[in-house]
Amino acid sequence: MKKRHLAGGVLAALGALHGCGGSDDAGPSAAEPSDPPRLACADITAAALGIPRLELATPETIAAVSADNPAQSVPAHCRLQGRLNLRNSDVDGKAYAIGFELRMPDTWNGRFFFQGGGGTDGAVNPALGTLTGAGASTNALSMGFAVASTDGGHTSESEPIVGGSLFGLDPQARVDYGYNAVGTVTPTAKAILERFYGRGADHSYFVGCSNGGRQAMVAASRFADQFDGIVAGNPGFNLPQAAVQHAWDNQAFAAVAPRTGGDRPIISQAFSFQDMQLLADRTVAACDALDGAADGMIDDPVACKAAFKPEDLTCPGAKADTCLSTPQVDALKKVFGGPKNGKGEALYADWPYDAGVATMGWRFWKLGTSTTEVPNSLIATLGGGSLPYVFTTPPTQVRGTGTQVIDYLLGFDFDTDAPKIFATTPVYAESPMSFMTPPDPTDLGTLKARGGKMIVYHGNSDPVFSVNDTIAWYQGLRRAHADASDFARLFTIPGMNHCSGGPATDKFDMVTAIVDWVEKGVAPASILASARPGSDAPWPGRTRPLCPYPQQARYTGSGSLEDAKNFRCVTPAS
């Protein structure tokens, strides 16, 4: 019989439809039913598929569409939208299901692409197969991949003050968001592919950034048997710990923020645009040339940590445009040093000083632009809802509008509240750190054993997930696997903010790199990146090699600083 591609769980559930047992090379036998017939797009129904607890909307046959933005163009394809495991919560009484979308192109390249989510999920994003790196000129669907996406097992709530995090009251919704939605949709999508195309996927990939990068890291650990190649961008794989940093940041900023007449902090005004530009300029001045090229990029953050001290920005007297006040410097040291408890123990990673801290992409997350007591940074709005509802146990209900979420963050106790990210109760049997993070991030034995490959990338100026946390993970992976670079590589990106932006070469193609590694055995010795016109980068068109950690890009000493061919990836002296 022909080789099966269905995942074990779905294969068991569809036993009546798909015969199993015997050698892959054995011929058909009377005891073994033939493969079920292929289904045309219009004929795909839950009943025809026989997948338990599956609901499908009417399939749509979509003609090819060329959009002004080529990344939004689509080929002719079949689109399915569905839900799995519909239920009513015993805790909050609401209905939950794992929503998903699957798009199958008429001209299929035999590859499956799981598109990672973002934020707290809560919506089924169009399964176009968003590519890594900014300014993509196509998408995975147009490249011939079949693409799936999911809402993470819940729909966003209408109350923006909690950032769509009310689902955190339901213990199963927490688990679905953390890992189970991906684990449930993947074999379901693969089963549908087999019925539609008459064969399973030759290779399967997971690609995502931010929370999608976290999902990719989790997939590499929990679902390594389902994926051949994984791309994890700016991964918040320790997301509950990063959420503790949100409270830490807001308390540090509030301590130096101007106050309203009611003595409330205007947190977004703790540092002006000019203050952050001063920090970026001084960091570049101290660290730019340490990598051998004065080009506005800091390729050696380790040397920079020794060369740049925020104390150098301290005003000798009153606050002026050319310096920072002593309380501001103290706040920066606190933020970049990472959260700690009363014993001085680190609760998350520290952060590098880098050129991208003056951009809107950094401020948008860390500080915001509000001129009132109601902050609008994402660590206050999105983080301020997810920390009490999703990332601590039991969840703390923070309702209302205005300042209530920020009051929760400002009152967060790093000795008594921070341990709640590890806590369980009889109702919430899995802790946030259990359901949100890989069980053991450095144990990729299954992925390695089956020949799977993994690319992780992270911007050095990411304001929401610290690149230093990802570097620490990779160092641990190298300790656990002496041959780690044979199946997993990390690329850090100078100046880049969260997934894109910043004074960086943030346009690159990790998908082609992972496909070539998986299918051709060509490991990425470097990945070409460029600076986009109209981006934060002051050098449009500049190209650079992104180097696998611990290597860094070094100027060869001759030729244009704008051309990647004049740089090499080298391992810096320890």
Side-chain angles (χ1 to χ4, degrees):
M1 80 184 212
K2 69 177 222 168
K3 185 177 179 180
R4 300 277 184 229
H5 293 272
L6 288 176
V10 171
L11 184 59
L14 302 183
L17 294 178
H18 296 265
C20 57
S23 167
D24 279 352
D25 298 324
S29 67
E32 183 178 281
S34 61
D35 289 338
R38 290 180 61 181
L39 294 172
C41 186
D43 298 329
I44 299 176
T45 64
L49 293 168
I51 298 176
R53 302 185 68 189
L54 169 66
E55 298 177 350
L56 287 178
T58 302
E60 296 180 77
T61 300
I62 298 178
V65 176
S66 295
D68 291 338
N69 179 358
Q72 299 298 317
S73 297
V74 298
H77 67 280
C78 175
R79 181 175 73 172
L80 295 178
Q81 294 179 316
R83 299 191 301 178
L84 287 156
N85 302 351
L86 178 65
R87 63 185 173 81
N88 288 314
S89 171
D90 293 332
V91 178
D92 64 7
K94 296 180 181 179
Y96 289 94
I98 300 172
F100 71 94
E101 180 173 281
L102 176 63
R103 299 196 186 208
M104 300 176 288
D106 291 0
T107 303
W108 187 38
N109 62 15
R111 301 181 179 111
F112 172 61
F113 184 111
F114 202 118
Q115 173 181 298
T120 52
D121 289 337
V124 179
N125 292 320
L128 303 182
T130 303
L131 300 183
T132 57
S137 58
T138 187
N139 55 56
L141 185 66
S142 294
M143 294 168 67
F145 290 78
V147 183
S149 63
T150 180
D151 62 6
H154 61 275
T155 56
S156 293
E157 301 291 346
S158 60
E159 298 181 55
I161 194 63
V162 292
S165 298
L166 291 179
F167 73 91
L169 295 174
D170 180 73
Q172 183 59 46
R174 288 176 158 211
V175 172
D176 287 344
Y177 170 58
Y179 63 86
N180 190 55
V182 170
T184 301
V185 170
T186 299
T188 301
K190 288 187 175 184
I192 296 172
L193 293 182
E194 188 156 338
R195 292 299 304 275
F196 182 68
Y197 291 114
R199 65 186 180 94
D202 299 319
H203 296 95
S204 298
Y205 298 90
F206 194 110
V207 179
C209 195
S210 188
N211 181 53
R214 179 198 65 82
Q215 290 173 324
M217 294 278 282
V218 171
S221 179
R222 289 185 181 272
F223 312 120
D225 62 326
Q226 294 290 308
F227 296 100
D228 303 295
I230 292 171
V231 177
N234 289 60
F237 66 99
N238 283 321
L239 189 47
Q241 291 179 320
V244 170
Q245 172 91 35
H246 300 341
W248 183 260
D249 288 348
N250 276 283
Q251 290 184 24
F253 293 143
V256 297
R259 319 293 288 195
T260 67
D263 198 35
R264 295 192 61 86
I266 307 175
I267 292 175
S268 299
Q269 304 302 304
F271 290 86
S272 68
F273 285 89
Q274 188 170 3
D275 289 335
M276 296 311 298
Q277 188 63 57
L278 175 66
L279 174 62
D281 290 345
R282 292 289 186 86
T283 304
V284 170
C287 302
D288 184 5
L290 296 175
D291 54 23
D295 56 0
M297 303 177 75
I298 300 171
D299 278 280
D300 195 336
V302 175
C304 185
K305 186 174 183 179
F308 172 74
K309 302 299 180 184
E311 294 91 335
D312 297 340
L313 299 176
T314 308
C315 294
K319 171 72 172 78
D321 291 342
T322 57
C323 56
L324 300 178
S325 69
T326 297
Q328 284 182 309
V329 170
D330 290 342
L332 285 177
K333 292 168 61 178
K334 186 174 181 180
V335 167
F336 282 85
K340 297 176 177 59
N341 61 19
K343 297 179 181 179
E345 298 167 331
L347 303 176
Y348 185 52
D350 61 354
W351 307 67
Y353 291 98
D354 193 45
V357 299
T359 59
M360 184 57 75
W362 195 92
R363 177 173 285 271
F364 179 69
W365 278 96
K366 286 285 196 188
L367 284 164
T369 57
S370 173
T371 57
T372 74
E373 62 191 42
V374 181
N376 65 352
S377 70
L378 282 184
I379 65 168
T381 54
L382 183 62
S386 59
L387 182 57
Y389 277 90
V390 185
F391 303 142
T392 53
T393 300
T396 300
Q397 297 195 44
V398 182
R399 292 187 178 273
T401 58
T403 61
Q404 288 188 261
V405 166
I406 194 61
D407 286 345
Y408 168 81
L409 293 175
L410 295 181
F412 190 86
D413 190 293
F414 299 95
D415 289 320
T416 60
D417 291 329
K420 294 177 182 178
I421 66 175
F422 297 97
T424 62
T425 69
V427 172
Y428 301 95
E430 290 195 53
S431 75
M433 284 297 289
S434 174
F435 65 73
M436 288 300 294
T437 68
D440 182 347
T442 62
D443 182 5
L444 297 182
T446 300
L447 185 73
K448 171 184 172 181
R450 68 187 304 271
K453 309 298 181 185
M454 184 177 186
I455 291 175
V456 180
Y457 66 91
H458 205 137
N460 289 358
S461 287
D462 186 345
V464 61
F465 303 133
S466 174
V467 66
N468 287 350
D469 194 37
T470 302
I471 290 172
W473 160 77
Y474 193 70
Q475 290 171 335
L477 184 69
R478 295 174 72 197
R479 290 191 293 271
H481 301 274
D483 59 348
S485 64
D486 289 348
F487 62 91
R489 296 193 177 187
L490 167 65
F491 295 83
T492 61
I493 305 171
M496 193 177 84
N497 294 146
H498 189 58
C499 296
S500 65
T505 52
D506 67 345
K507 183 177 181 179
F508 44 80
D509 182 3
M510 298 289 179
V511 171
T512 297
I514 195 69
V515 169
D516 286 348
W517 198 4
V518 167
E519 299 179 24
K520 300 177 183 179
V522 179
S526 66
I527 292 176
L528 182 67
S530 62
R532 296 172 292 122
S535 70
D536 297 317
W539 353 266
R542 169 180 286 184
T543 58
R544 282 287 187 276
L546 301 180
C547 302
Y549 182 87
Q551 295 182 27
Q552 299 170 358
R554 289 289 184 273
Y555 182 50
T556 60
S558 63
S560 171
L561 288 173
E562 307 308 310
D563 196 332
K565 70 181 182 182
N566 301 316
F567 289 78
R568 297 289 182 269
C569 291
V570 301
T571 302
S574 58

